[in-house]
Structures are given as C-alpha cells and as structure tokens.
Amino acid sequence: MPLLKHSLGWLLLAVLLVSAAAAAEQDGRQLRPLFDEAWEFDLQEDPLFASQAGDHRHDDRLPRVTLADYRRRLEKEREFLERLRQIDRSRLSSQEQTSYDIFARLRQNQIKEYEFQSHLTPITNRSGFHIEFPELPKNSRLNDAKDYENYVSRLRAFEQFVDDHIELMRAGIQAGIVLPAVSLADYQRPLEAQIVDDAEQSLLYEPFRKFPASISSADRQRLQQAGRAAISESVVPGYRKFFDFLRDEYVPHARDQIAAAALPKGREFYRHRVRRFTTLDVTPQAVHETGLAEVARIRKEMQEVIAHTGFEGDFAAFVEFLRSDPQFYVETPEALLRAVSLVLKRMDGSLPKLFGTLPRTPY
C-alpha cells in the first residue's frame, strides 16, 4: 500500500504539472489574438499611421477624431485592458510577461490620456494635423493611378478633418482645457502658407507635377484635375476655416499661464505625464531635483576641464572661447565629415561602458 500511495502521489503530481503546463500554454496563446486585434484596431482608427506602417488598405481615408470617436476608442482601450487582465501573467514565459507588461502600460497610458482629456488640445505650437498634413506627399505611396486616387480622397477628406478638430477644441474651450496664449503667438504662419489662390501653389500639389511612367497621359490629366479640385474645394477652405476658428474663438480663450497646474486636474495630469515619459513612479519634484543635481554635476565637471586646460578666465569666457575660436570649426564638408566620424567612433567605444551590452536575441 505505501508503494501504491507513492505511485499515486507521483501520478497526481504529474497530472497537476501537465495541467499547469497546459494552462500556461493556453494563457500564452490568448496573448497573440489580443495583440493582433489591438494592432488591427489601431490601424483602422489611424489610417495615416497604417500607411506609414506599410499597411495600405486604408490609404483613401483620414482618421476621424470627433468626441464620439474618442469615447468609442476609450471603451475599446478599456476592453483590451480588461481582457489582458483575464490572462494569468504568472503562467507566461519571461518574454510573454514582457510583452504583457508593455501592452498593459501602453493601454493604461492611452486610457489616462483620454481621462485627462488631452485630446481636447490636439495641436501645439510646433505640431498638429495642420502642420503635418502638408507632409502627406512624403508619407504616401504614389506608384500607380489607384494610389493617386487614394491621395486625392485624402485631400477631399481634409475639410472634415478640420471640422473634427474644431469640435475637439471647442469642447476644450468649454472645459477650460486650452493651450497657453504664448504658444499661439505665431499661429498664423503655418496656416497662411496653405491658403493659396492657385491650387498648384500648394505643397500638396507636388505629386501631380511628376508621375510614375506607368501612369498614362489621360490618367495624368484626370488626376491633375482631381488634385486641383480637391485642394481648391477642401484643403484651402479647411485651412481658412481653421484659421478663422483660431483667430475668432480659440486664441481669445487661450490661458495666460503655461503651467499644467492651470488646467483642471492639472497637477494630477502633470504627474501622469511624468510617469508616462519616464516610465518611473516618481513625483515631478523628484524629477526637478534630479535635474538640478545633474546640472550641478555637469557644471563641476566643466570647471574641472577648464582648470585642466590651463585656460585663464571665468566660465563665461571659456564658453565664448569654445563658440568663437577657429580651431573648433571646419572649413569644408569633407573636414566636417571626418571630424564627426571620429567623434562617432569614439562614442561607439564608450557607450557600452555607460549602458552595458544587450543580450543577443536569436533569430
């Protein structure tokens, strides 16, 4: 009987191990469909991103960014995160756990961004749809007539794209979530550059000046006409509409302070942004103190360098010396290339000392 009990014990252990392995394998298998579905969702929701990622199924569309669209996306993000939490992380392999954690962090950050309503300020003084859209030719596949038709469709969709952004920013005005006035001081320039009297003056007309050889003469004329019409009837009116909105509605409501604390829940939002961009659960004050300490450390090292060189003069004089002395400048492009190449080679040898080496991943 003792031998039988011992055998039954091992049998039970074996069954438990097999069951645990099967459960772990099942948990691992659940990750891939979730990741694939989330990736597909992102591609469909942002056709511009899809195009840049090499997926050209949606090349004829622009993203929709209405308030309703953001609410719908928020619910989907929450659904993805909840489905992830149903998977037992402890049963996953080390690599799967890393993927799990990255996916969770990305979705949590997106949900927080939505909850803090950062989408109500979709532009800055340096970026935004109105600044990025003229780059569309560089980010579009233009190999055949169908690609050009997709491109024209996106030009046609621009005015709706503007309307969507205006809806967001009007909601931002109502919620007190607006840009600082100082960041809007020169808002006119990028807009005025796109408000042209002649469609062919637009940067967005560039693809119609030179076609691939495979496109026939008849198609070229047809596409040029469609491009001019789309620019005149959608792009230029869209930019003019956005210009008027900023001038008449948005800029007058811009906030005087630049600090995030001036926003509703601004301090909480700032702390969220610190966590998002540092990936660390630290306070803004801790980041500030780290910055001050680093400035002091670097300044001390610079003073040591000045002393080592035997330079006679204070810190400001040494900085001016570095900026103005001819020995620190090159006279030809070739000399610049040699100097930069030497610096890069020195960096190649030194960076592993600072950051260590990454483990090799077998293909």
Side-chain angles (χ1 to χ4, degrees), residues 200-219:
E200 295 189 19
Q201 296 175 341
S202 172
L203 292 174
L204 293 158
Y205 187 77
E206 287 303 310
F208 301 103
R209 299 187 188 280
K210 186 177 181 180
F211 290 89
S214 60
I215 298 180
S216 69
S217 176
D219 277 340

Side-chain angles (χ1 to χ4, degrees), residues 70-84:
Y70 273 102
R71 285 193 294 267
R72 176 174 52 79
R73 291 182 189 120
L74 172 59
E75 293 308 310
K76 197 66 177 177
E77 296 287 0
R78 287 172 171 164
E79 176 193 324
F80 287 143
L81 191 57
E82 180 58 32
R83 287 168 55 186
L84 182 72

Side-chain angles (χ1 to χ4, degrees), residues 162-163 165-174 177-179 184 187 240-255:
V162 170
D163 289 339
H165 282 88
I166 289 176
E167 178 182 330
L168 295 180
M169 296 173 74
R170 278 181 174 147
I173 294 173
Q174 293 298 317
I177 301 175
V178 292
L179 293 172
L184 294 166
Y187 74 90
R240 185 175 291 114
K241 182 183 295 186
F242 194 57
F243 180 96
D244 292 344
F245 165 72
L246 289 178
R247 181 194 61 203
D248 299 337
E249 297 184 48
Y250 197 80
V251 172
H253 288 94
R255 53 190 167 97

Side-chain angles (χ1 to χ4, degrees), residues 212-360:
S214 60
I215 298 180
S216 69
S217 176
D219 277 340
R220 294 182 187 192
Q221 294 180 19
R222 173 178 63 84
L223 293 169
Q224 284 176 329
Q225 181 178 356
R228 286 192 295 268
I231 292 170
S232 297
E233 297 169 9
S234 176
V235 175
V236 173
Y239 272 105
R240 185 175 291 114
K241 182 183 295 186
F242 194 57
F243 180 96
D244 292 344
F245 165 72
L246 289 178
R247 181 194 61 203
D248 299 337
E249 297 184 48
Y250 197 80
V251 172
H253 288 94
R255 53 190 167 97
D256 296 332
Q257 301 180 45
I258 62 172
L263 297 168
K265 298 183 179 179
R267 294 187 180 278
E268 295 92 333
F269 174 61
Y270 192 75
R271 180 156 186 171
H272 152 69
R273 280 295 178 93
V274 168
R275 283 196 295 263
R276 177 184 174 186
F277 290 113
T278 66
T279 72
L280 303 173
D281 189 14
V282 294
T283 65
Q285 183 61 34
V287 173
H288 180 65
E289 290 171 358
T290 299
L292 293 177
E294 282 298 291
V295 169
R297 180 186 64 81
I298 294 170
R299 180 64 176 261
K300 181 175 179 292
E301 290 185 4
M302 294 172 73
Q303 293 285 9
E304 291 172 354
V305 169
I306 295 173
H308 179 74
T309 63
F311 180 81
E312 296 182 359
D314 60 11
F315 184 86
F318 188 74
V319 171
E320 181 60 28
F321 165 66
L322 294 178
R323 290 175 175 169
S324 59
D325 195 281
Q327 67 177 299
F328 301 118
Y329 290 85
V330 296
E331 296 181 355
T332 66
E334 292 76 16
L336 177 62
L337 182 60
R338 286 195 300 271
V340 172
S341 297
L342 178 60
V343 171
L344 292 176
K345 284 300 180 183
R346 288 176 175 169
M347 288 173 60
D348 287 342
S350 299
L351 286 175
K353 299 176 184 177
L354 299 175
F355 297 99
T357 56
L358 295 175
R360 288 186 174 273

Side-chain angles (χ1 to χ4, degrees), residues 48 62 65 121-136 158 161-163 165-166 169 179 183-195 202-204 235 238-243 245-246 250-251:
L48 291 172
L62 295 178
V65 292
T121 51
I123 69 170
T124 71
N125 60 329
R126 297 187 304 273
S127 65
F129 78 100
H130 62 307
I131 293 175
E132 296 159 5
F133 194 70
E135 298 293 315
L136 185 63
F158 181 73
F161 203 34
V162 170
D163 289 339
H165 282 88
I166 289 176
M169 296 173 74
L179 293 172
S183 68
L184 294 166
D186 201 23
Y187 74 90
Q188 303 96 329
R189 289 179 60 187
L191 298 172
E192 290 174 338
Q194 308 306 322
I195 302 174
S202 172
L203 292 174
L204 293 158
V235 175
Y239 272 105
R240 185 175 291 114
K241 182 183 295 186
F242 194 57
F243 180 96
F245 165 72
L246 289 178
Y250 197 80
V251 172

